[in-house]
């Protein structure tokens, strides 16, 4: 069973669920937007995000946040801090990583040539493409994401992927490469030729995933009391008009 | 062609000439400045806005009239107790939309305005096209549930309405007795039914607005919602006549057209509408910019024609008559309305004596006189009234009142900390001087209640829930960002800051986005003890086209939409300024 959701609902639900799991409002908003970009391309990004939420909730920000993604000097593999809850494998949050990389793209774009970033132990790594899509488009970059024998590419506002869909949906990839370079016309033409993304206008969310996201979203709502019910919104409880 | 936002201080060029010749460019040195955001974007002024030619309901009716839309009731299956289904079709040149109404009859004790209500006298969906039997069956199960139900991509809006306890039964009984209802009773309330929510744009499974905005008839803001309300108005007439006829089949009369025109659709607006202005700042900027640009074009006219002067005098007179029927139980608004009536009287007297219409830039003179002499309520009323005789200068600005909010801005991490601080210093100067540790300045917090997800405002220092505060305190958060910026080197990219301080990402994104939009940010502290949320509600409602604002508290207001509007079968018989009824 699935829920047929509008893209606006999907974005709002993901944002609220992300916040409920411990993301900042800003990162939760970005997560909502990134998931919708991927969902509009026909990818099961809502499920990818849902699988990362328990780990995000269990890990303090410092433990799941990448290091400085602008440092190209030592190619030190960014890896998660060991500061995680017992029973939770350390990993890098795809939301923090996606935001950090997207923020860094304009800085890195000024440096000529190809830039390569490596990361270890990334939760739901395919989500990263959703964060990079609009910035890559604006800067004329092609961004390749490689992990688990699969590859995603985003350029000119398009996303493509190859490899086994199950590989794409991996919950944690031990080695992720992000490769940036200026896109060229040949690459763009090839991508257009193979673009079979359906341009989704709706998002089908598995009902268990929907329930999970709703449970996280409810952590952002304030329980009602008799006083707040009567006074918080303004209108009276009964009609006298 | 849509107009792009411009920096404050320069109005878009217009090719309009006046009838007295074009010896001067329409934009001259006097009044070539748009009103500054520091003046316009204060809640005291925003909360004094009146409807105008750029209001969404008027835009809709103008289009339907110009394109000769055909509106009719196509289905009516309602029993003698008022329970059943009705369908109203709006057929335009390109598409047809159908309002499907599911009527029931509530006991008075079950009727509530609140989002947390669970039952209503009628519930509605606006369907994309003409529904078939399967659509109606599906919607009959879901629409009456409202927030507890689901609609689909075939539906544009979901809404509900209750009968007005004050006058519905009076009208029903009068019609059943074969007579017309008391006009004073009609005027006192102004509507038979009152909507308590009209959801659109992807809510509860409806189609996202982004997939509708290429349709000409839906490009202007909230057109689907306005069409919904306009058709609900017709339903309200039909249901009261139906029930009167059921009560007394042999003698019931129908409501006279003049009485119908005097009635609109009520709306009870609480805080649900307020976060919209904060969460859609680019869109809000474009509404305000359109309004300010219209004002600026008119002020810049070197001369006035006799026709426009006569039309202006006429509409001021009709506005005075309208003002005489505006009443409220709210003490603060009683004073406002009284001053407003006095303002219009003073304007009338002044226009009899002034020779400004014989001189250059007469409309600028009218505007400046109003700014100098009238209350803020009166000033903003004059702004709206100035639009009325200048449709050729105003109406095309509708094209700029939309915004593409999908990926229209992504944070540019390369912006330096110094540049971000400069943005805050220039746009949030008063916030930087505010002590947000002061209880009065941080007294409130916005949140979403678990109960039906209803937006509410809480008292921070004596209620629980502030840890789940919604991110709607832009001025406070801008100051927090500024203070953290000072910990970084001026040349550091903002990307480094937001990575280390993710709690500030949302405000960094907002400030960066709004740099190019001077009218995007309300320049008041939205968590202060002094906040009057009804100012935010009224601002948005004025853009909808509402009038007769009647606050019931500082965060709840009753209004009317479509009052005095032509009926759906007589759209082409009325001028665009129908909202000001003819002089008595």
């Amino acid at each position: 069973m699935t829920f047929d959701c509008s893209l606006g609902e999907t974005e709002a639900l993901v944002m609220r669920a992300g916040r409920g799991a411990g993301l900042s409002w800003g990162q939760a908003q970005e997560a909502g937007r990134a998931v919708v970009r991927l969902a509009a391309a026909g990818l099961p990004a809502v499920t990818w995000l849902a699988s990362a939420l328990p780990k995000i909730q269990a890990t303090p920000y410092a433990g799941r946040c990448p290091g400085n993604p602008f440092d190209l000097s030592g190619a030190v593999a960014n890896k998660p801090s060991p500061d995680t809850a017992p029973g939770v494998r350390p990993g890098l949050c795809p939301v923090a990583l996606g935001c950090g990389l997207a923020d860094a793209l304009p800085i890195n774009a000024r440096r000529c040539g190809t830039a390569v970033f490596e990361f270890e132990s990334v939760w739901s790594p395919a989500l990263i493409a959703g964060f990079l899509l609009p910035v890559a488009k604006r800067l004329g970059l092609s961004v390749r994401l490689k992990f688990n024998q699969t590859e995603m590419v985003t350029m000119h506002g398009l996303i493509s992927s190859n490899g086994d869909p199950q590989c794409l949906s991996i919950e944690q990839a031990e080695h992720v490469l992000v490769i940036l370079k200026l896109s060229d016309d040949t690459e763009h033409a090839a991508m257009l030729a193979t673009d079979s993304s359906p341009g989704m206008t709706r998002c089908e969310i598995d009902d268990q995933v929907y329930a999970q996201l709703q449970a996280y979203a409810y952590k952002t709502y304030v329980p009602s009391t008799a006083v707040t019910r009567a006074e918080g919104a303004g209108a009276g409880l009964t009609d006298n008009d | 062609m849509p107009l792009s936002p411009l920096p404050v201080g320069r109005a878009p060029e217009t090719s309009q000439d006046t009838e007295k010749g074009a010896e001067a460019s329409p934009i001259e040195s006097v009044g070539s400045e748009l009103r500054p955001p520091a003046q316009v974007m204060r809640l005291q002024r925003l909360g004094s806005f009146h409807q105008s030619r750029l209001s969404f309901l008027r835009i809709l009716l103008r289009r339907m009239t110009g394109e000769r839309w055909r509106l009719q009731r196509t289905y009516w299956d309602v029993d003698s107790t008022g329970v059943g289904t009705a369908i109203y079709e709006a057929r335009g040149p390109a598409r047809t939309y159908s309002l499907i109404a599911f009527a029931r009859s509530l006991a008075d004790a079950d009727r509530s305005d609140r989002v947390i209500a669970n039952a209503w006298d009628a519930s509605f969906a606006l369907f994309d096209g003409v529904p078939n039997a399967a659509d109606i069956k599906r919607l009959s199960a879901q629409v009456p549930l409202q927030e507890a139900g689901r609609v689909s991509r075939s539906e544009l809006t979901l809404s509900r309405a209750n009968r007005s306890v004050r006058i519905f039964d009076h009208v029903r009984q009068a019609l059943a007795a074969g007579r017309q209802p008391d006009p004073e009773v009609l005027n006192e309330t102004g509507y038979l039914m009152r909507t308590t929510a009209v959801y659109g744009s992807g809510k509860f499974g409806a189609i996202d607005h982004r997939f509708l905005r290429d349709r000409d008839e839906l490009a202007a803001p909230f057109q689907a919602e306005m069409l919904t309300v306009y058709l609900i108005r017709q339903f309200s007439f039909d249901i009261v006549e139906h029930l009167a006829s059921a009560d007394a089949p042999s003698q019931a009369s129908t409501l006279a057209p003049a009485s119908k025109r005097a009635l609109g659709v009520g709306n009870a607006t609480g805080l649900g509408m307020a976060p919209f202005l904060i969460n859609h700042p680019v869109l809000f900027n474009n509404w305000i910019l359109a309004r300010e640009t219209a004002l600026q074009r008119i002020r810049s006219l070197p001369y006035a024609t006799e026709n426009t002067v006569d039309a202006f005098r006429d509409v001021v007179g009709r506005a005075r008559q309208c003002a005489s029927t505006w009443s409220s139980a709210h003490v603060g608004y009683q004073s406002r309305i009284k001053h407003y009536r006095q303002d219009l009287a003073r304007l009338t007297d002044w226009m009899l004596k002034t020779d400004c219409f014989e001189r250059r830039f007469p409309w600028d003179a009218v505007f400046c006189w109003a700014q100098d002499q009238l209350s803020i309520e009166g000033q903003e009323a004059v702004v709206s009234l100035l639009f009325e005789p200048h449709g050729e200068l105003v109406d095309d600005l509708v094209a700029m009142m939309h915004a593409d909010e999908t990926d229209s801005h992504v944070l540019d991490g390369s912006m330096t900390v110094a540049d971000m601080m400069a943005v805050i210093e220039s746009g949030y100067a008063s916030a930087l001087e505010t002590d947000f540790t002061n209880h009065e300045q941080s007294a409130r917090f916005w949140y979403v209640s678990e109960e039906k997800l209803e937006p509410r405002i809480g008292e921070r220092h004596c209620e629980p829930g502030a840890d789940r505060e919604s991110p709607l305190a832009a001025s406070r958060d801008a100051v927090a960002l500024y203070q953290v910026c000072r910990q970084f080197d001026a040349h550091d990219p903002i990307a480094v800051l937001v990575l280390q301080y993710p709690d500030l990402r949302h405000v960094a994104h907002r400030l960066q986005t709004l740099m190019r939009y001077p009218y995007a940010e309300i320049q008041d502290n939205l968590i202060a003890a002094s906040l009057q949320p009804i100012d935010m509600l009224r601002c948005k409602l004025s853009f909808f086209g509402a009038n007769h604002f009647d606050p019931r508290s500082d965060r709840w207001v009753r209004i009317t939409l479509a009052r005095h509007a032509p009926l759906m079968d007589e759209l082409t018989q009325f001028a665009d300024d129908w909202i000001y009824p003819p002089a008595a």
Side-chain angles (χ1 to χ4, degrees), chain A residues 3-9 11 16 19 24-27 29-30 33 36-37 61 65-70 96 99-100 102-104 106-107 110 133-135 138 200-202 204 210 218-225 228-241, chain B residues 111-114 116 150-153 162-166 191 194 202-208 210-211 270-271 407 410-414 447-451 453-457 463-465 468-471 493 495-496 498-500 502-503 505-506 509 552-553 555-556 558:
Chain A
F3 263 84
D4 169 48
C5 294
S6 67
L7 297 185
E9 275 183 301
E11 181 176 336
R16 285 261 166 204
R19 176 62 178 165
S24 70
W25 277 115
Q27 288 194 354
Q29 289 165 356
E30 299 282 11
R33 292 190 277 261
V36 164
R37 289 178 201 123
Y61 180 69
C65 170
N68 188 341
F70 329 113
C99 288
D103 296 345
I107 302 167
R110 296 194 191 114
L133 182 151
V135 187
R138 180 166 66 84
M200 306 295 285
T201 62
R202 308 286 289 183
E204 297 286 330
Y210 188 87
Y218 260 80
K219 294 176 188 292
T220 69
Y221 306 136
V222 177
S224 190
T225 66
T228 60
R229 182 180 305 120
E231 297 174 7
L237 289 171
T238 56
D239 186 312
N240 62 356
D241 187 39
Chain B
R111 196 171 286 119
S112 165
D113 274 0
R114 294 288 298 277
I116 55 175
R150 300 284 301 166
V151 289
S152 76
R153 74 188 76 193
N162 282 332
R163 299 173 194 171
S164 166
V165 166
R166 284 186 284 170
Y191 50 83
R194 182 176 63 254
K203 299 264 171 54
F204 308 107
I207 188 168
D208 289 293
R210 71 174 81 179
F211 302 119
L271 286 176
D407 287 344
V410 180
L411 185 69
D412 178 355
S414 67
Y447 68 95
V448 176
S449 170
E450 218 174 63
E451 194 170 13
L453 309 189
E454 184 183 49
R456 294 181 185 172
I457 284 182
E463 281 178 41
R468 300 184 178 192
E469 180 176 8
S470 300
V496 177
V498 297
L499 188 66
Q500 291 185 28
D503 287 337
R505 182 185 189 86
H506 72 281
H509 181 271
R552 296 307 174 94
S553 76
R555 60 193 71 179
W556 177 37
R558 294 246 171 107

Side-chain angles (χ1 to χ4, degrees), chain B residues 71 78 104 114 135 158 169 236 318-319 323 424 433 465 469 480 522 526:
Chain B
L71 281 68
V78 180
R104 59 181 291 184
R114 294 288 298 277
D135 294 318
L158 177 71
D169 285 344
S236 73
R318 290 155 62 195
I424 299 171
E433 293 174 6
E469 180 176 8
I522 297 171
L526 300 182

Side-chain angles (χ1 to χ4, degrees), chain A residues 50-138:
Chain A
S51 77
L53 288 182
K55 290 172 275 203
I56 289 170
Q57 185 180 37
T59 310
Y61 180 69
R64 54 180 159 87
C65 170
N68 188 341
F70 329 113
D71 178 12
L72 301 179
S73 60
V76 172
N78 271 304
K79 57 180 125 180
S81 145
D83 183 18
T84 56
V88 177
R89 278 172 70 201
L92 289 177
C93 171
V95 178
L97 185 50
C99 288
L101 279 169
D103 296 345
L105 280 191
I107 302 167
N108 290 303
R110 296 194 191 114
R111 299 169 180 162
C112 301
T114 300
V116 180
F117 298 93
E118 294 179 59
F119 301 96
E120 294 182 9
S121 305
V122 181
W123 302 325
S124 300
L127 282 170
I128 295 169
F131 294 89
L132 301 181
L133 182 151
V135 187
K137 176 183 175 184
R138 180 166 66 84

Side-chain angles (χ1 to χ4, degrees), chain B residues 215-515:
Chain B
R215 303 185 184 187
D216 284 346
E217 68 272 15
L218 299 180
F222 289 95
Q223 295 299 278
E225 289 86 345
M226 294 299 104
L227 179 61
T228 298
V229 167
Y230 184 70
L231 294 173
I232 289 175
R233 178 186 187 229
Q234 185 62 45
F235 171 80
S236 73
F237 304 147
D238 291 349
I239 192 71
V240 76
E241 288 178 343
H242 173 84
L243 289 171
S245 177
D247 294 342
S250 59
Q251 72 173 17
S253 58
T254 56
L255 199 52
S259 295
K260 288 180 181 176
R261 285 185 213 110
L263 294 169
V265 175
N267 180 266
T269 305
L271 286 176
M273 195 174 278
F276 185 94
L277 298 183
I278 311 165
N279 289 328
H280 298 271
V282 177
L283 186 64
F284 188 41
N285 172 88
N286 292 351
W287 298 354
I288 304 278
L289 182 61
R291 191 172 181 273
E292 294 302 311
T293 303
L295 174 63
Q296 196 41 53
R297 285 179 174 181
I298 295 165
R299 290 175 66 189
S300 299
L301 286 173
Y303 299 104
T305 68
E306 197 172 326
N307 284 346
T308 54
V309 174
D310 288 345
F312 185 70
R313 290 188 205 278
D314 174 67
V315 80
V316 170
R318 290 155 62 195
R320 286 184 69 182
Q321 185 173 309
C322 232
S324 68
T325 62
W326 182 14
S327 64
S328 175
H330 188 273
V331 170
Y333 256 65
Q334 286 172 355
S335 172
R336 253 198 205 207
I337 293 167
K338 178 181 159 193
H339 284 117
Y340 172 62
R341 291 182 188 142
Q342 290 171 347
D343 283 345
L344 291 181
R346 292 177 61 204
L347 174 64
T348 306
D349 289 343
W350 176 76
M351 284 201 298
L352 289 172
K353 299 169 195 158
T354 183
D355 63 350
C356 75
F357 295 113
E358 308 305 316
R359 295 188 270 110
R360 285 164 67 81
F361 304 105
W363 301 114
D364 184 60
V366 172
F367 170 79
C368 291
W369 178 87
Q371 294 283 290
D372 191 51
Q373 296 291 325
L374 303 185
S375 67
I376 293 183
E377 182 81 43
Q379 292 170 31
E380 295 307 316
V382 167
V383 171
S384 291
L385 290 167
L386 284 171
F387 293 0
E388 292 303 332
H390 294 106
E392 77 285 0
L393 288 181
V394 172
D395 295 351
D396 70 311
L397 292 166
V398 169
M400 70 183 296
M401 296 179 83
H402 67 93
D404 180 0
E405 296 181 307
T406 49
D407 287 344
S408 53
H409 183 81
V410 180
L411 185 69
D412 178 355
S414 67
M415 182 188 200
T416 66
V417 164
D419 286 345
M420 179 59 79
M421 292 178 77
V423 166
I424 299 171
E425 285 160 3
S426 70
Y428 297 83
S430 65
L432 286 171
E433 293 174 6
T434 302
D435 177 11
F436 286 101
T437 63
N438 178 294
H439 275 209
E440 293 289 300
Q441 298 301 331
S442 61
R444 307 279 187 71
F445 67 101
W446 296 79
Y447 68 95
V448 176
S449 170
E450 218 174 63
E451 194 170 13
K452 270 255 194 126
L453 309 189
E454 184 183 49
R456 294 181 185 172
I457 284 182
E459 300 299 321
R460 184 184 306 276
H461 307 298
C462 54
E463 281 178 41
D467 57 318
R468 300 184 178 192
E469 180 176 8
S470 300
L472 299 176
S475 54
R476 178 201 61 195
D477 294 347
V479 170
L481 174 60
Y482 188 83
Q483 287 164 352
V484 168
C485 280
R486 295 162 101 177
Q487 302 172 20
F488 288 79
D489 184 272
H491 299 291
D492 281 341
I494 201 73
V496 177
L497 185 153
V498 297
L499 188 66
Q500 291 185 28
Y501 292 88
D503 287 337
L504 294 173
R505 182 185 189 86
H506 72 281
V507 64
H509 181 271
R510 181 185 185 87
L511 267 54
Q512 213 182 67
T513 301
L514 302 189
M515 281 163 54

Side-chain angles (χ1 to χ4, degrees), chain B residues 113-136:
Chain B
D113 274 0
R114 294 288 298 277
V115 165
I116 55 175
N118 290 311
W120 302 270
D121 285 314
S123 52
F124 309 90
L126 187 68
F127 185 88
D128 192 6
V130 179
N132 58 31
D135 294 318
I136 295 171

